[in-house]
Amino acid sequence: MNWDVWLVGLGGGAGAALRYLVDRAVSRAVGTGLPWGTFTVNVAGTLLLGLLVGAAGAAALPPRLWALLSVGLCGALTTYSTFSHEVLSLAREGRVPAAAGYAALTGGCALAALAAGAWAAGALL
C-alpha cells in the first residue's frame, strides 16, 4: 500500500476544509467587494509552503511529512483555479482595474510569502 497517497488525501481534506473556513471568516470580516478570502488562503498557504521548503532543504522534513503537508495541505489550501475564476469574474463585471490589481497583488504577495517562509525556515533550522 502506498501510504503517501493516503497522506496526501488526508492533508488535502484538511487543506480544503481550512480553505473554506478561512475564506468564509475573511469574507464576513472584510466583505466581498474583492475576493480577500482567496487572497488570504493563497498567501498564507504559500508562506507555509515556503517554511516547508526551507525545512526540507535543511533535511528537517521526512518525505511522508512533506507529502502530508506540502502536497496535501498546502495543495488544497491554496487555489489557483478559484483565483483565476475570481479574476475573470471581476473583469466580466467591468472591474478590469480591480481584476488586474488583484491578480498582481496576489501573485506578488504569494511569491514574497514563499521566499520569506523559505528564508525564515532556513534561518531557524
Side-chain angles (χ1 to χ4, degrees), residues 78-103:
T78 59
T79 172
Y80 192 74
S81 58
T82 300
F83 161 74
S84 299
H85 170 70
E86 290 167 344
V87 170
L88 182 60
S89 293
L90 287 168
R92 284 183 173 168
E93 292 169 6
R95 300 175 62 194
V96 174
Y102 172 68

Side-chain angles (χ1 to χ4, degrees), residues 28-74:
R28 275 195 307 271
V30 300
T32 58
L34 285 174
W36 293 115
T38 302
F39 173 84
T40 301
V41 297
N42 283 336
V43 173
T46 54
L47 175 64
L48 176 58
L49 184 60
L51 290 167
L52 295 169
V53 166
L61 202 60
R64 288 205 167 134
L65 190 55
W66 173 261
L68 173 75
L69 297 176
S70 68
V71 180
L73 181 71
C74 290

